[in-house]
Amino acid sequence: MKPSVSAGIHSIAEYLPPHVASVEDLRERGLLRGSPDTLRSFGFNTVHLACDESNIDMALAAADTVLEESGIDRNEIGMILYAAALNSSSTLWDGNGSSRDSVLRFETVPDLFKYPASVLQSELDLTNAAVAGINQVGCASIFAALRMARAMIVAEDDLQSVLCVSADRFPQGRHRDLAYNLVSDGACAAIVRRDSDCNTIVECTQVTKGALWDSEEIENEIIAAYFPTAAALVERTLAKAGLDIDDIALVIPHNVSLRSWEILGRLIKCPADRIYTDNIARVGHTIASDNLLNLRHAVEAGRVKKGDYMLLFTFGYGSNWACMVVQH
Amino acid sequence: MKRASILLTGATGAVGSDLLRSLVQRDSVRLNVLVRHSDRSPADRIKALLGDTALAASITVLEGDISAGPRLGMHDLAVASLRRETTHIIHCAGSTSFTLDLADARAANVQGSRNVLEFARACPALECGAFLSTVYVSGKRCGDFSEFDFGDAGLGFVNTYEESKAEMEAVIQSAMKELPLILVRLSTLVGDSTTGRVNQFNTVHHAIRLLYSGLAPMIPGDPNEPVDFVSSDFVAAAALHLVEHAPRPGVYHLAAGKESSNTLGDIIDETMAALASFRPQWRKRAVERPLIVDLDTYELFVRSVEETGNPVLRDATRSIRTFAYQLAHPKVFETSQAAATLAWNGIAPQQSLAFYPRVVRYCLESNWGRRAC
């Protein structure tokens, strides 16, 4: 049964570090395992690299922007969901030049009780907001946050708005090409609001294949599982929403290889001109922030009009496939 | 087959070994088996298939090679004697590899058959020369393919095996006016209908393994189009029957045909079901059913995998590629000539799905031939 209360993505903001590197730059700096030519053929060109910014800095920047731009009273935010794709993003790791070994190193027992979400609540002056963290869903973590935000708004009468934030900074010095994708640093923030006048969340689905949890040992099986599982989930999500792929005005992808979207587009029978891939070359794969970033840019570019349905899809290690239908 | 003297080539292969096992049980047959020397002697290779007792009973193992000219690599005395006595030839030898270059495939399948044909011309008592071929000489044709059709109709072939076999057929067909020859076109052999036993693991079994390993995300084809599989016991019984009754020269299809084929979608579903049934713990791996996609999408996927340079996925897609393109050219093999000859003896192909799960089980239990079972 569909909920009588609706929730939608009212506002979105992102933070992308100003430092931009091309695939050739990355190669020169020893940050690529593969060749720049292959990555270019997969649609990648440049990525954003955090320099002085930690994951918390990026999260704060994105969240502050979305609060400012939305015009929503900060007292209305009743919940912060801090979504972290990388395990390191759940910590207060200071990435400013720390050695890469420090990512998950905790010096003291009290360090284990220091959380980014609380820092956000304090720094952003969101005194009415409770906090929770979402992790272990890989790049699908922001989808999990949006899904939970919607469910909480439907379930709790006094909850008006939820701030969802995701920020991931890749460990310094590590190869940026991962499973044939090019990883960028970045953050996004979104306010999910009761009875939002735009971007109503119509349907959310997620499938987890725990057998594929070890992304290093069974990378080939994960890559092979990607397409059939993705196509099946998109079909299931559309069916739950009572829609057909032809009802979707625009697919909002995660910024993985353009080639993989060409293939998935064929599998779900969606023509390439209805998949928003403009940011893949310029931004790269920002771990969990891609879809919200792309949604904002697609709307700003006039690619959707009021009432249009959009389909958001992503994959996260773990292994998780997540899909969402949103009505603008 | 009274007082018949049969020359069998390719006795250690997928089809030949089943024919050999059947023929050694017939007292009325004198059986000459032509075997190449490999790392083991010809006699040892046959003993490995039959055991000592059967070998002593009724067969003569001749060392030779079909690629070594019309004497088939035998010395003069042996050739002369063999020519005099041979009443039937069953030519199974050749290469079934899909990945040979065309020159090598021709050497194995065309020139070797030419040599056997020349040998047959010199057999005064010849009643039937059966040359085994494949229904996939049809190449990239789609739709019905009858026993009166030849070759790819200019549409090309999926691999060099098909092409070389089509060329072989042209050679044999041109000799049918002079000699009592038949071409026996086989469909894809998957295993024994009762035990599931596989004589020789082929691309179908490899595809089952890829599916089991979760490395076959997509397969080109149409889920509603038929896939033609036959059991090895049907082929052995039918081929012997055809040879024994020396039908008129022509082509005979040993295929499931329209009636006994199942669709690609059904075959994939049955594979998934059989893997889950015979290996319950496999379910935990949550392997998704492979997508059946159009050829362009599959090509795009293959190109993408090639560009990544990932060796495991590249090998997986390449191995599917060697045969799966046939699935994108669906066809129905018409079997009326063979059926008319075989029917009175009650020999008919079984419904593919009636025995296919046993083959999947055999693959699992033998670990695709690595473990005795």
Side-chain angles (χ1 to χ4, degrees):
Chain A
M1 198 170 73
K2 296 286 174 195
S4 55
V5 177
S6 77
I9 305 167
H10 178 274
S11 312
I12 301 169
E14 82 263 10
Y15 175 83
L16 293 172
H19 181 65
V20 174
S22 69
V23 288
E24 286 78 14
D25 295 336
L26 294 173
R27 179 69 170 182
E28 276 181 23
R29 291 159 67 173
L31 297 177
L32 285 187
R33 189 182 289 111
S35 80
D37 287 346
T38 301
L39 286 166
R40 280 197 192 282
S41 77
F42 287 171
F44 298 107
N45 187 15
T46 55
V47 290
H48 292 258
L49 301 180
C51 295
D52 296 331
E53 309 96 325
S54 70
N55 55 314
I56 305 299
D57 295 332
M58 295 194 296
L60 277 169
D64 200 37
T65 304
V66 80
L67 287 164
E68 286 298 317
E69 289 181 354
S70 71
I72 291 174
D73 183 346
R74 295 190 182 216
N75 289 324
E76 188 185 304
I77 307 294
M79 189 78 203
I80 299 171
L81 294 176
Y82 184 85
L86 304 175
N87 281 327
S88 56
S89 301
S90 302
T91 72
L92 279 174
W93 170 53
D94 177 7
N96 299 340
S98 304
S99 77
R100 61 193 189 195
D101 294 334
S102 71
V103 172
L104 285 174
R105 193 176 65 204
F106 299 99
E107 298 291 345
T108 64
V109 168
D111 284 343
L112 299 173
F113 297 96
K114 296 172 181 172
Y115 307 115
S118 299
V119 176
L120 283 184
Q121 194 249 23
S122 170
E123 294 290 322
L124 296 169
D125 196 23
L126 300 173
T127 50
N128 289 336
V131 305
I134 291 171
N135 59 10
Q136 305 185 30
V137 202
C139 303
S141 57
I142 197 70
F143 276 60
L146 296 170
R147 184 184 186 187
M148 288 185 194
R150 176 202 187 214
M152 291 173 82
I153 287 171
V154 169
E156 299 175 22
D157 292 343
D158 59 344
L159 183 60
Q160 290 301 310
S161 295
V162 177
L163 174 65
C164 300
V165 186
S166 172
D168 289 290
R169 177 193 162 129
F170 216 56
Q172 284 188 333
R174 295 298 170 104
H175 291 131
R176 293 241 160 202
D177 45 345
L178 190 65
Y180 314 111
N181 297 306
L182 190 62
V183 175
S184 193
D185 298 323
C188 70
I191 296 173
V192 178
R193 195 179 199 199
R194 180 182 297 272
D195 298 327
S196 170
D197 58 359
C198 65
N199 301 327
T200 301
I201 299 172
V202 177
E203 200 59 68
C204 310
T205 54
Q206 180 187 330
V207 60
T208 299
K209 296 198 170 186
L212 302 177
W213 68 270
D214 191 337
S215 58
E216 194 173 3
E217 283 297 310
I218 51 170
E219 185 189 53
N220 295 317
E221 287 83 347
I222 293 170
I223 293 170
Y226 175 79
F227 288 111
T229 311
L233 185 66
V234 168
E235 188 179 352
R236 180 155 67 91
T237 309
L238 288 171
K240 282 182 75 177
L243 299 172
D244 190 80
I245 191 68
D246 293 336
D247 297 319
I248 300 297
L250 196 63
V251 170
I252 306 292
H254 55 337
N255 291 342
V256 294
S257 144
L258 193 56
R259 181 68 53 76
S260 78
W261 270 105
E262 283 178 52
I263 296 169
L264 188 53
R266 283 171 170 272
L267 298 178
I268 64 174
K269 297 183 170 47
C270 181
D273 63 357
R274 284 201 279 130
I275 304 174
Y276 183 78
T277 54
D278 296 18
N279 281 332
I280 292 176
R282 189 179 64 81
V283 178
H285 178 38
T286 59
I287 317 274
S289 298
D290 292 350
N291 299 85
L292 285 179
L293 184 152
N294 290 339
L295 174 55
R296 175 183 164 131
H297 288 204
V299 170
E300 286 175 351
R303 294 288 299 272
V304 286
K305 59 183 187 301
K306 190 76 181 163
D308 279 351
Y309 288 104
M310 291 173 281
L311 183 136
L312 287 68
F313 173 84
T314 195
F315 166 81
Y317 276 136
S319 286
N320 301 282
W321 288 255
C323 193
M324 186 179 294
V325 172
V326 168
Q327 186 173 26
H328 187 55
Chain B
M1 213 177 281
K2 227 170 185 178
R3 290 183 298 280
S5 176
I6 297 178
L7 172 64
L8 175 66
T9 73
T12 56
V15 181
S17 57
D18 273 343
L19 294 174
L20 178 67
R21 288 188 193 94
S22 296
L23 284 166
V24 293
Q25 293 170 21
R26 301 192 180 198
D27 295 335
S28 59
V29 169
R30 175 168 170 68
L31 181 60
N32 293 295
V33 182
L34 186 74
V35 184
R36 266 188 310 165
H37 192 103
S38 60
D39 54 334
R40 288 181 298 170
S41 74
D44 284 346
R45 295 179 72 190
I46 297 300
K47 275 181 198 168
L49 289 168
L50 297 176
D52 288 340
T53 315
L55 183 59
S58 59
I59 67 173
T60 303
V61 181
L62 302 164
E63 180 172 339
D65 185 347
I66 60 160
S67 66
R71 293 175 187 279
L72 308 180
M74 293 180 283
H75 60 77
D76 290 351
L77 275 178
V79 172
S81 166
L82 193 60
R83 282 173 177 161
R84 270 196 306 277
E85 73 172 65
T86 297
T87 57
H88 297 77
I89 297 171
I90 308 176
H91 175 44
C92 305
S95 171
T96 55
S97 169
F98 293 168
T99 55
L100 292 180
D101 64 40
L102 187 56
D104 290 339
R106 280 175 172 151
N109 293 330
V110 184
Q111 190 54 45
S113 296
R114 272 204 180 98
N115 292 336
V116 175
L117 178 62
E118 289 311 306
F119 178 88
R121 285 186 201 281
C123 296
L126 187 71
E127 294 175 25
C128 180
F131 286 72
L132 267 56
S133 183
T134 171
V135 291
Y136 293 105
V137 292
S138 48
K140 292 181 180 174
R141 284 179 189 238
C142 295
D144 291 343
F145 186 68
S146 84
E147 290 154 310
F148 302 98
D149 291 323
F150 284 88
D152 64 329
L155 296 170
F157 297 94
V158 167
N159 52 52
T160 58
Y161 169 68
E162 297 174 359
E163 188 166 2
S164 62
K165 282 291 192 181
E167 291 178 10
M168 179 277 280
E169 284 200 356
V171 172
I172 303 305
Q173 193 198 5
S174 67
M176 280 182 184
K177 289 171 191 158
E178 317 150 39
L179 295 170
L181 304 178
I182 61 172
L183 281 164
V184 183
R185 287 180 184 153
L186 309 184
S187 178
T188 306
L189 269 73
V190 291
D192 185 89
S193 66
T194 306
T195 64
R197 182 172 174 276
V198 177
N199 285 340
Q200 199 170 71
F201 289 89
N202 60 31
T203 47
V204 171
H205 310 106
H206 191 53
I208 296 170
R209 183 161 64 179
L210 289 174
L211 214 149
Y212 178 70
S213 308
L215 292 174
M218 55 187 89
I219 291 173
D222 181 329
N224 300 313
E225 291 292 346
V227 176
D228 203 296
F229 285 165
V230 285
S231 70
S232 48
D233 47 315
F234 160 70
V235 165
L240 279 183
H241 184 84
L242 289 173
V243 173
E244 187 176 11
H245 291 85
R248 66 175 185 275
V251 179
Y252 297 85
H253 280 179
L254 301 187
K258 190 173 187 178
E259 298 304 318
S260 300
S261 291
N262 291 95
T263 65
L264 177 59
D266 287 343
I267 295 283
I268 289 176
D269 286 343
E270 191 60 43
T271 309
M272 301 295 286
L275 291 172
S277 168
F278 300 131
R279 275 290 155 81
Q281 67 271 34
W282 180 74
R283 289 170 194 266
K284 284 172 63 178
R285 296 168 64 176
V287 173
E288 201 74 30
R289 180 187 192 270
L291 296 162
I292 302 173
V293 300
D294 61 75
L295 198 51
D296 286 347
T297 302
Y298 190 73
E299 289 278 12
L300 189 62
F301 175 69
V302 169
R303 201 161 70 242
S304 183
V305 168
E306 290 285 338
E307 283 175 9
T308 65
N310 179 311
V312 175
L313 289 175
R314 189 188 57 206
D315 290 351
T317 51
R318 280 181 183 175
S319 73
I320 290 176
R321 202 177 182 187
T322 56
F323 77 97
Y325 282 12
Q326 265 301 347
L327 300 173
H329 299 94
K331 46 188 81 82
V332 174
F333 302 110
E334 194 267 334
T335 60
S336 59
Q337 280 229 115
T341 310
L342 299 170
W344 71 270
N345 206 32
I347 301 171
Q350 305 94 325
Q351 194 75 32
S352 302
L353 289 185
F355 65 92
Y356 176 72
R358 294 182 199 116
V359 176
V360 177
R361 182 180 201 162
Y362 183 85
C363 289
L364 284 168
E365 291 179 350
S366 71
N367 191 19
W368 282 267
R370 290 181 176 82
R371 189 166 52 223
C373 68

